[in-house]
Amino acid sequence: MSRQLIKGNEAIVKAAVLAGCRGFYGYPITPASEITEAAAAYLPRVGGTFLQAESEVAAINMLYGAASAGVRVMTASSGPGISLMQEGISYMAGAELPCVVADITRAGPGLGNITSEQSDYHQVVKGGGHGNYRTLVLAPHSVQEMADLTALAFELADRYRNPVVLMTDGFIGQMMEPVEFPQAAVGPRLPKWAVAGTEETRGNLISSIYLNSDELEAHVRQLEAKYEIARQRETRAEELYMEDADVVLVGYGIVARILKAVAAEARAEGLRVGVLRPITLFPFPTLHFKKAAKRAKVFIVVEMSNGQLLEDVRLALNGARPVEFLSRVGGNVPSHEEVLAFVQAQARCCAESEQVAHV
Amino acid sequence: MATITEGPRPMAMADYKGRVDPDWCPGCGDYGVLAAVQKALVELQIPNHQVVTISGIGCSSNFPGFIETYGMHTLHGRALPVATGVKMANHELTVLVTGGDGDGFGIGGNHFAHAMRRNVDLTYIVMDNQIYGLTTGQTSPTSQIGMKTKSTPFGNVEGPIHPIASALACGATFVARGFSADQKHLSGLIRQAIEHKGFSFIDVFSPCVTYNKDNTFQWFRPRVKKLEDDPAYDSGDWLAAMEKSILWGEEIPIGKFFERTDLPSLDEAEPVLKDGPMVGRPDHIDPAIARAFIEELM
């Protein structure tokens, strides 16, 4: 298939259909509405169903129903809508139901505004709902990745029988870039555990209730074991100029695009700057950070929130290296110039401390 | 020497003009609703500080910013629970709740039913344009079957909710419908609704000139018929109101469908509030009462 120029939000839906998604239930919200609109247009063409729910609470519960019956399902929303879905996400994680949720983030708290922030990190990556569960979180930084990671999200959701969140900012959702879609489509498959209305699946029970304390503890431990396997097998990150980097820039989504441009410019000035971009936010690419810390002198986290990714970077480094932080919020984006100036200052700082060490 | 004492100056339309100009599209039905609310407040001469306007999310939910009263811009679909809280804290306030059809009948549908069942003394004005305007044109709970929107590209297959019939069924004690283009009539309904003690619901046809090309001002104008023009119509008759509520098509009734005044509103029914609003009470408990209460617990 040839490349086509397409909007990030639309690329998600095309990729979802090709990945076997046959149910989409959603509620409009800026800047994610195009996903719902594209789903309304594309799903009926492949025999899938689309419903505009009366609320995000309804949408996520419609997913619960259709996923239970064994259909690959998806929804999309942003900030306040994701907050409303947390109850259902917790129930789906508890009942071990696969689904894909796209979160095209906006600014908060409360109504905030419709411009982009990355402040959904805590509620998505740490699990905004109740109970001992995690969601797997993928963070695309290009329209091509919107397509690729959507396909991966469906795979992971089925493999781990768990909700997977595709989280990016409004910029990646709204921008247009050339995308290449996979040549072959994945056909819908009926999982063994589904409640499919057949004689074979009569004994299947989908539930998150365990009234006996020991049974619930065993269930939670089993979920943890699943997340541990995901930690070992599914962690993904992109490294750029990392072989000899003194200064490591860390960011995801649109910020990562800025960091790549800044790193290239800093390199041209002779500064040894690299970029470490987490692609999976859960499981977090801790090993990539540990490896980088062996050589790098300082890490700089750049984030469109008040320090949410920052916490995971600090946990991953565990005090091994200093972590500096550059933050913009409210819908403001860190400019190329301000990031570069910040990097230059840190690089000078590193160089000076090196000279002191040599004396 | 004679002293001149001036009485308070009567409130005028300008006194209710908000500090922010509406950001609605030119020609939006909501302008007519805003003017009708302001006119009703002028007629009732309610001082600004005794009115609170509460909304959820949507084009019409920006309303509290455009009117000079106390205002609360709350969560999507949650204006009625917030308004219920305000009324529990200070039931002497005139509470106006404004919003759209998606906010009120979709995401807020659950609260719509329960606020009416409780007969909370407030006026709920829904600017019903049968579309999601703020998110640029998706189907709404009042969109007609067959309507093409961005989320129903092949035509809406779902039937709409009937706001008037729903309100009647849920126990609203004042139920009316207005049309944004008939401001005088609408303002009269709003005035009666505010004066009514109990839950007043007004569904207002407030056409979206940008995203709803089906239910336009031109579409409504020849269809709306005032209930007041029928001398035989009795707004005290619930069954008659139900019958009228489901009429849709060539003739669509507007006006006061139903009112009953024999039921207490929530603040009247709540024994704790019979001595006045919670906000006006002393913030300490009589030591004798406190002691007796603690002893009872022990």
Side-chain angles (χ1 to χ4, degrees), chain B residues 112-129:
Chain B
F112 180 57
H114 292 284
M116 292 190 288
R117 175 178 70 80
R118 295 191 174 104
N119 200 26
V120 188
D121 178 29
L122 56 81
T123 298
Y124 183 31
I125 301 166
V126 172
M127 282 153 266
D128 190 346
N129 57 14

Side-chain angles (χ1 to χ4, degrees), chain A residues 48-277:
Chain A
T49 56
F50 166 85
L51 257 178
Q52 184 180 314
E54 65 271 29
S55 70
E56 289 88 347
V57 177
I60 193 75
N61 283 289
M62 289 171 181
L63 254 59
Y64 190 115
S68 302
V71 175
R72 279 193 162 180
V73 288
M74 180 177 193
T75 189
S77 192
S78 182
I82 298 291
S83 302
L84 278 176
M85 289 182 183
Q86 294 293 1
E87 178 187 76
I89 292 172
S90 162
Y91 271 72
M92 291 186 84
E96 295 192 84
L97 287 171
C99 73
V100 176
V101 178
D103 179 6
I104 312 301
T105 62
R106 52 187 265 170
L111 189 50
N113 64 39
I114 59 171
T115 62
S116 286
E117 260 186 7
Q118 296 180 315
S119 51
D120 277 5
Y121 191 97
H122 275 160
Q123 74 155 338
V124 168
V125 179
K126 304 296 175 182
H130 62 285
N132 295 301
Y133 79 96
R134 305 301 298 250
T135 54
L136 277 65
V137 186
L138 307 175
H141 85 319
S142 67
V143 180
Q144 180 66 54
E145 269 193 348
M146 290 288 248
D148 297 346
L149 295 182
T150 296
L152 176 65
F154 277 99
E155 245 180 81
L156 294 178
D158 267 14
R159 192 179 305 154
Y160 292 91
R161 285 182 62 183
N162 203 72
V164 176
V165 183
L166 191 77
M167 183 171 77
T168 194
D169 45 84
F171 288 100
I172 306 296
Q174 298 291 326
M175 68 162 66
M176 291 180 91
E177 284 182 321
V179 174
E180 199 167 335
F181 287 97
Q183 297 282 348
V186 177
R189 289 164 299 194
L190 188 67
K192 280 198 194 76
W193 47 260
V195 182
T198 59
E199 186 60 33
E200 300 81 60
T201 62
R202 263 186 72 186
N204 290 349
L205 175 69
I206 307 281
S207 172
S208 66
I209 190 171
Y210 293 86
L211 288 177
N212 177 290
S213 301
D214 292 336
E215 282 177 18
L216 180 55
E217 187 168 39
H219 174 59
V220 169
R221 298 296 177 223
Q222 179 251 321
L223 292 180
E224 275 174 15
K226 209 166 71 169
Y227 303 141
E228 190 48 45
I229 294 171
R231 271 193 195 96
Q232 287 163 19
R233 295 185 188 165
E234 312 301 345
T235 304
R236 286 168 172 79
E238 183 192 359
E239 294 177 337
L240 180 70
Y241 312 129
M242 284 298 291
E243 310 75 36
D244 62 344
D246 292 331
V247 178
V248 178
L249 298 176
V250 183
Y252 67 102
I254 190 68
V255 170
R257 302 288 285 266
I258 299 163
L259 298 186
K260 284 181 174 182
V262 167
E265 200 169 328
R267 283 270 160 184
E269 289 177 15
L271 301 173
R272 290 197 295 267
V273 175
V275 177
L276 180 47
R277 172 176 75 94

Side-chain angles (χ1 to χ4, degrees), chain B residues 218-231:
Chain B
Q218 294 74 13
W219 188 88
F220 278 113
R221 219 169 256 127
R223 289 176 167 82
V224 293
K225 298 276 183 303
K226 288 181 190 133
L227 289 166
E228 293 81 355
D229 290 345
D230 175 7

Side-chain angles (χ1 to χ4, degrees), chain B residues 5-272:
Chain B
T5 50
E6 268 185 47
R9 181 177 62 83
M11 305 290 292
M13 283 293 272
D15 295 316
Y16 295 103
K17 190 184 177 311
R19 293 166 211 191
V20 184
D21 285 331
D23 57 359
W24 296 317
C25 303
C28 173
D30 294 354
Y31 287 100
V33 183
L34 176 61
V37 169
Q38 289 166 329
K39 191 159 176 282
L41 290 173
V42 169
E43 283 171 6
L44 293 167
Q45 287 293 304
I46 308 176
N48 309 70
H49 68 275
Q50 286 173 12
V51 184
V52 54
T53 311
I54 302 171
S55 70
I57 301 298
C59 294
S60 53
S61 283
N62 290 336
F63 200 99
F66 311 144
I67 189 164
E68 184 71 358
T69 66
Y70 281 111
M72 300 175 77
H73 194 185
T74 74
L75 285 72
H76 193 22
R78 315 293 176 227
L80 285 173
V82 173
T84 303
V86 167
K87 210 67 195 179
M88 292 312 282
N90 188 358
H91 60 260
E92 283 176 357
L93 288 170
T94 295
V95 175
L96 305 178
V97 180
T98 60
D101 37 299
D103 188 70
F105 311 140
I107 193 164
N110 182 15
H111 309 306
F112 180 57
H114 292 284
M116 292 190 288
R117 175 178 70 80
R118 295 191 174 104
N119 200 26
V120 188
D121 178 29
L122 56 81
T123 298
Y124 183 31
I125 301 166
V126 172
M127 282 153 266
D128 190 346
N129 57 14
Q130 302 163 269
I131 194 88
Y132 279 69
L134 194 65
T135 49
T136 73
Q138 298 84 14
T139 184
S140 103
T142 51
S143 295
Q144 298 298 296
I145 292 177
M147 186 174 174
K148 286 190 176 175
T149 71
K150 283 187 187 168
S151 60
T152 52
F154 312 110
N156 182 24
V157 295
E158 301 172 7
I161 198 168
H162 297 283
I164 300 292
S166 303
L168 289 166
C170 290
T173 48
F174 180 102
V175 180
R177 184 192 273 150
F179 179 35
S180 160
D182 193 340
Q183 231 181 81
K184 195 174 160 209
H185 178 248
L186 175 60
S187 155
L189 291 175
I190 294 169
R191 186 182 153 167
Q192 292 177 67
I194 294 172
E195 285 178 315
H196 173 80
K197 182 78 185 157
F199 194 100
S200 306
F201 170 61
I202 309 178
D203 189 38
V204 184
F205 295 140
S206 182
C208 174
V209 294
T210 306
Y211 296 109
N212 189 339
K213 304 297 180 195
D214 293 357
N215 309 104
T216 59
F217 281 106
Q218 294 74 13
W219 188 88
F220 278 113
R221 219 169 256 127
R223 289 176 167 82
V224 293
K225 298 276 183 303
K226 288 181 190 133
L227 289 166
E228 293 81 355
D229 290 345
D230 175 7
Y233 185 74
D234 172 14
S235 62
D237 183 345
W238 188 86
L239 279 175
M242 260 302 184
E243 211 165 288
K244 287 281 185 194
S245 75
I246 52 168
L247 291 181
W248 188 268
E250 292 314 301
E251 186 183 328
I252 304 173
I254 59 170
K256 184 165 85 175
F257 281 75
F258 180 70
E259 181 174 17
R260 67 184 289 183
T261 53
D262 58 324
L263 291 178
S265 63
L266 181 63
D267 58 277
E268 287 172 329
E270 174 54 59
V272 174

